[in-house]
Amino acid sequence: MTLPIVARNYREQSPLVFCLTNTVVTNFTANVLLASGAAPAMTDLPGEARPFAAAASAVLVNLGTPTTEQLRAMEEAVESASAAGTPWVLDPVAVGALPVRTEFARRIVARRPTLIRGNASEIMALAGWESSGRGVDSLDSVQEAIAAGRELAVKYGSVVAISGEADAIIDAQRTVLVHTNGIGLTRITGGGCALGAVCAGMLAVHEDPFEAAVAAHGYYGLAAEKALAASSGPGSFAVAFLDSLAAVEPAALETLNCEEKTYA
Amino acid sequence: MTLPIVARNYREQSPLVFCLTNTVVTNFTANVLLASGAAPAMTDLPGEARPFAAAASAVLVNLGTPTTEQLRAMEEAVESASAAGTPWVLDPVAVGALPVRTEFARRIVARRPTLIRGNASEIMALAGWESSGRGVDSLDSVQEAIAAGRELAVKYGSVVAISGEADAIIDAQRTVLVHTNGIGLTRITGGGCALGAVCAGMLAVHEDPFEAAVAAHGYYGLAAEKALAASSGPGSFAVAFLDSLAAVEPAALETLNCEEKTYA
Amino acid sequence: MTLPIVARNYREQSPLVFCLTNTVVTNFTANVLLASGAAPAMTDLPGEARPFAAAASAVLVNLGTPTTEQLRAMEEAVESASAAGTPWVLDPVAVGALPVRTEFARRIVARRPTLIRGNASEIMALAGWESSGRGVDSLDSVQEAIAAGRELAVKYGSVVAISGEADAIIDAQRTVLVHTNGIGLTRITGGGCALGAVCAGMLAVHEDPFEAAVAAHGYYGLAAEKALAASSGPGSFAVAFLDSLAAVEPAALETLNCEEKTYA
């Protein structure tokens, strides 16, 4: 893989990432995109989502706090991104635990997201498996969810990324575990949600979405490790994380701890 | 009282706090809950609020920036929490100053919140007294509002908490003033709103809501004192406050400066 | 000009700034207002926006992430502010790039905002010129936009402020360039949006809106310079910026680098 190249392209091209995301993490997501070198933009308005999804470099659809109007904008954005060939990411936040978004996610996933990113419970629920999420927390392990992820990957032609102690990136042929110490990200809100936005940006600058997803997770995780060392609690971690996203060199991805898994 | 036990239970049980709150403070509120040891979750969607309020450990209804749709979700959440016996907190932000929420709050309070938390002007306005709030700022003193708080406590069987220089916790029989230096919290947005979320979490882990409210205010205030000492302005205060929420030991509540008041 | 006096009045009078703004920057905007000495308040609800715009010291209408309901509230707020003589600021975020807000902005600007604040592309698009914004980013220069700004100033009797490497403040007679190093503000989200809120607050405490706008931009830029020196990345910059807003003395505006421009 050529992970440093993906990260370098991201920094140089500064992809415009159109985020339809939840109200808890809008600010953090925009700052994560800016710190890492991309350009964030948000609108949740039907009539604007359609043209903007065609013009943007990539689209993120995050189901954290949908409104009736935002769901309509998301439908527009996904239709438009699909038609334009714009890569898009589906983050099925709390799918399985909450009914309206679960129904919506199961419908919209048929539009074949370039990438699906979630925690183990969300990925299992999206695949129609039994899961045990509690709100936004996963009570299932990444290992348990990998087979569900593969099902989604095969069915929709998507790359599937499962966040957890190690992050699993899956497509129809491959599974890679990305090992970084992301414990700091579990102590602040939006760690996973903003990662979805960075993934979207990486998809925009690299042809192979599987490699783009690995690069995004690796880059993000390395920044989290660096920030953990520089902080003394969740407040200072979030600040240091933004500083680290701006400071991590693409070349650092050369030594990323990636583990290729083979399954029968 | 057994304040350290309440705080210890909160940390150990990590209550899932379902927040229907305002767009200004969603991120800060979620980070405050995470830093203090609880689990935040948000949805403002009718159809999701009803089942989630029954499944969550506690519910926060904060009227800071309502939308028509969010108000419907709040009604659902409150009905559902009441039916399920889930404790819930009403934060009547800017009630008295703004008409739609004032009407809504006066109606929803009849559902008997476990706790009502606000500043002096909001509590007075909710009780139907003359008040002089200016937007979200109180121009009335905690002392002036205690009798209004007692009226609400008697009428609705609620605990009432009034934030100010000292915080007053009131029920039909008792009034306690919690003395901490919370001046830093007045210089950032969301100090009171996020406290309502912590209160909700404490209610979920302790049977006596009065003690739970005192513990929440004490714990929060001690973290604010610690943060003030470690910061040099409102930006660094907010960061240090999150670090402090994670660092304060439950045992620190043993020496909390609580003053019991007796009124004729 | 008497810039230090404007800043001193702002601190002493603590104007109540009613912000109808986007979900990405609500928290940061409120914290910027508090740190600089003003009082923020938000509601996006029709039925509340009308009375509140008449009661507030100033109103900010920022088109970053409109909803159908918020647009109705904005109309109310602008009507009410105009009728009451309350100063109001229009921030035409991404106008030109996104259709619904573009149509809305061109209609609402006829209500004669006290101040229009945006980047070069937004000001050019609002004036009906060809522009080349990309989402919220300007691809045009401040110099190119000054003539468009003057057109708006003449047509609507507004002061127009264009943010860029140097900020241009324009009315029918005057143009001033405010030179500060605001590079840090371009690396975080909401730098321009929150400036619009500070402008609104300055308008509320000073009779000449042109001077008020210059003072707001100068004060904001000086705080950004101070923060840049004290930070090591975009995360720590945002924190230091809030600390600096609270620390900058009004007297520092005496030595602000302002350049008066004369045009044929």
Side-chain angles (χ1 to χ4, degrees):
Chain A
M1 287 200 238
T2 52
L3 304 179
I5 293 173
V6 185
R8 211 167 287 129
N9 288 345
Y10 180 92
R11 284 269 173 82
E12 278 166 16
Q13 298 176 30
S14 188
L16 179 64
V17 181
F18 171 21
C19 303
L20 298 111
T21 191
N22 70 76
T23 56
V24 185
V25 305
T26 41
N27 184 268
F28 184 66
T29 301
N31 276 328
V32 161
L33 285 170
L34 283 166
S36 59
M42 272 87 162
T43 178
D44 302 296
L45 198 58
E48 293 199 336
R50 190 179 304 278
F52 200 40
S57 313
V59 176
L60 168 68
V61 172
N62 172 302
L63 298 178
T65 60
T67 64
T68 304
E69 188 164 278
Q70 193 197 36
L71 289 172
R72 283 185 14 238
M74 287 173 172
E75 294 229 46
E76 274 193 14
V78 168
E79 275 180 37
S80 174
S82 299
T86 310
W88 68 283
V89 175
L90 175 64
D91 190 332
V93 182
V95 159
L98 292 169
V100 179
R101 69 190 65 193
T102 300
E103 187 278 331
F104 181 85
R106 289 193 177 142
R107 191 155 47 79
I108 208 88
V109 73
R111 293 268 182 189
R112 306 173 72 85
T114 319
L115 173 72
I116 302 167
R117 192 220 70 83
N119 65 34
S121 295
E122 291 158 354
I123 295 302
M124 291 167 75
L126 186 61
W129 294 33
E130 283 280 313
S131 68
S132 47
R134 189 187 76 146
V136 297
D137 295 335
S138 179
L139 300 176
D140 301 292
S141 77
V142 170
Q143 287 298 337
E144 291 174 282
I146 285 177
R150 185 167 301 264
E151 265 190 30
L152 292 169
V154 170
K155 191 162 179 189
Y156 301 112
S158 306
V159 175
V160 176
I162 310 173
S163 297
E165 214 169 314
D167 301 324
I169 317 296
I170 300 158
D171 71 5
Q173 287 81 40
R174 295 167 283 183
T175 298
V176 160
L177 294 182
V178 178
H179 294 276
T180 60
N181 181 1
I183 188 74
L185 292 168
T186 65
R187 296 178 180 152
I188 61 169
T189 195
C193 297
L195 170 56
V198 173
C199 286
M202 296 271 180
L203 293 173
V205 301
H206 191 68
E207 199 145 341
D208 180 349
F210 185 84
E211 287 183 4
V214 173
H217 282 72
Y219 169 71
Y220 203 78
L222 293 178
E225 284 183 0
K226 198 174 155 78
L228 192 66
S231 59
S232 51
S236 48
F237 173 81
V239 172
F241 180 61
L242 293 172
D243 284 358
S244 297
L245 282 170
V248 167
E249 290 298 330
L253 286 170
E254 277 162 23
T255 55
L256 183 69
N257 182 355
C258 283
E259 180 188 354
E260 288 191 51
K261 304 289 284 187
T262 324
Y263 297 93
Chain B
M1 286 199 240
T2 53
L3 304 179
I5 293 173
V6 184
R8 210 166 288 128
N9 288 345
Y10 179 92
R11 284 267 174 83
E12 278 166 16
Q13 298 176 28
S14 188
L16 180 64
V17 182
F18 170 22
C19 303
L20 299 111
T21 191
N22 69 75
T23 56
V24 186
V25 304
T26 42
N27 184 269
F28 185 66
T29 301
N31 276 328
V32 161
L33 285 170
L34 284 166
S36 59
M42 271 89 162
T43 179
D44 301 297
L45 198 58
E48 293 199 337
R50 189 180 304 279
F52 200 38
S57 312
V59 176
L60 169 68
V61 172
N62 173 302
L63 298 177
T65 60
T67 64
T68 303
E69 188 165 278
Q70 192 197 36
L71 290 172
R72 282 183 18 235
M74 287 173 171
E75 295 229 45
E76 274 192 15
V78 167
E79 274 179 37
S80 175
S82 299
T86 309
W88 68 284
V89 174
L90 175 64
D91 190 332
V93 181
V95 160
L98 292 169
V100 179
R101 69 191 66 195
T102 300
E103 186 278 331
F104 181 85
R106 290 194 176 142
R107 191 156 47 80
I108 207 87
V109 73
R111 291 269 181 188
R112 306 174 72 84
T114 318
L115 173 71
I116 302 166
R117 193 219 69 83
N119 65 33
S121 296
E122 291 158 353
I123 296 302
M124 290 167 75
L126 186 61
W129 293 33
E130 285 280 314
S131 69
S132 46
R134 187 187 78 147
V136 297
D137 296 336
S138 179
L139 300 177
D140 302 292
S141 77
V142 171
Q143 288 299 336
E144 291 173 282
I146 285 178
R150 185 168 301 265
E151 264 189 29
L152 291 170
V154 169
K155 192 162 177 190
Y156 301 113
S158 306
V159 174
V160 176
I162 310 172
S163 297
E165 213 170 315
D167 300 324
I169 318 296
I170 300 159
D171 71 5
Q173 286 81 40
R174 294 168 283 184
T175 298
V176 160
L177 294 182
V178 178
H179 294 276
T180 59
N181 181 1
I183 189 74
L185 293 168
T186 65
R187 295 175 182 156
I188 62 170
T189 196
C193 297
L195 171 55
V198 173
C199 287
M202 296 271 180
L203 292 173
V205 301
H206 191 67
E207 199 145 342
D208 179 350
F210 185 84
E211 287 183 5
V214 173
H217 282 72
Y219 169 72
Y220 203 80
L222 293 179
E225 284 183 0
K226 199 174 156 74
L228 191 67
S231 60
S232 51
S236 48
F237 174 81
V239 173
F241 181 60
L242 293 173
D243 284 357
S244 296
L245 281 170
V248 166
E249 289 299 329
L253 286 170
E254 277 163 23
T255 55
L256 183 69
N257 182 355
C258 283
E259 180 188 355
E260 287 191 51
K261 304 289 286 186
T262 323
Y263 297 93
Chain C
M1 286 199 240
T2 53
L3 303 179
I5 293 173
V6 183
R8 210 166 287 129
N9 287 345
Y10 180 91
R11 285 269 173 82
E12 278 167 15
Q13 297 175 30
S14 187
L16 180 64
V17 181
F18 170 23
C19 303
L20 298 111
T21 190
N22 69 75
T23 56
V24 186
V25 305
T26 42
N27 184 269
F28 184 66
T29 301
N31 276 328
V32 161
L33 285 171
L34 283 166
S36 59
M42 272 86 163
T43 179
D44 301 296
L45 197 58
E48 293 199 337
R50 189 179 305 279
F52 200 39
S57 312
V59 176
L60 168 68
V61 172
N62 172 303
L63 298 178
T65 61
T67 64
T68 304
E69 187 165 280
Q70 194 197 36
L71 290 172
R72 285 188 9 242
M74 287 172 171
E75 294 229 46
E76 275 193 12
V78 168
E79 274 180 39
S80 174
S82 299
T86 309
W88 68 283
V89 175
L90 175 64
D91 190 331
V93 182
V95 160
L98 292 170
V100 180
R101 70 192 65 194
T102 300
E103 186 278 331
F104 182 85
R106 289 193 177 142
R107 191 155 48 78
I108 208 87
V109 73
R111 292 268 182 190
R112 307 173 72 83
T114 318
L115 174 72
I116 302 167
R117 192 219 70 83
N119 65 33
S121 295
E122 292 158 352
I123 295 301
M124 290 166 75
L126 186 62
W129 292 34
E130 286 279 315
S131 68
S132 48
R134 188 187 77 146
V136 298
D137 295 336
S138 179
L139 300 177
D140 301 292
S141 77
V142 171
Q143 288 298 337
E144 291 173 283
I146 285 178
R150 184 169 302 265
E151 265 190 29
L152 291 170
V154 170
K155 191 162 179 189
Y156 301 113
S158 305
V159 174
V160 176
I162 310 173
S163 297
E165 213 169 314
D167 301 324
I169 317 296
I170 301 159
D171 70 6
Q173 285 81 39
R174 294 169 281 183
T175 297
V176 160
L177 294 182
V178 178
H179 294 275
T180 59
N181 181 1
I183 188 74
L185 292 167
T186 65
R187 294 175 182 157
I188 61 170
T189 196
C193 296
L195 170 56
V198 173
C199 286
M202 296 270 180
L203 292 174
V205 301
H206 192 69
E207 200 145 341
D208 180 349
F210 185 84
E211 287 183 3
V214 174
H217 282 72
Y219 168 72
Y220 203 79
L222 293 178
E225 285 184 358
K226 197 175 156 75
L228 192 67
S231 60
S232 51
S236 49
F237 173 81
V239 172
F241 180 60
L242 293 173
D243 284 357
S244 297
L245 282 170
V248 166
E249 289 298 330
L253 286 170
E254 277 163 23
T255 55
L256 183 69
N257 182 354
C258 283
E259 181 189 353
E260 288 191 51
K261 304 289 284 185
T262 323
Y263 297 93

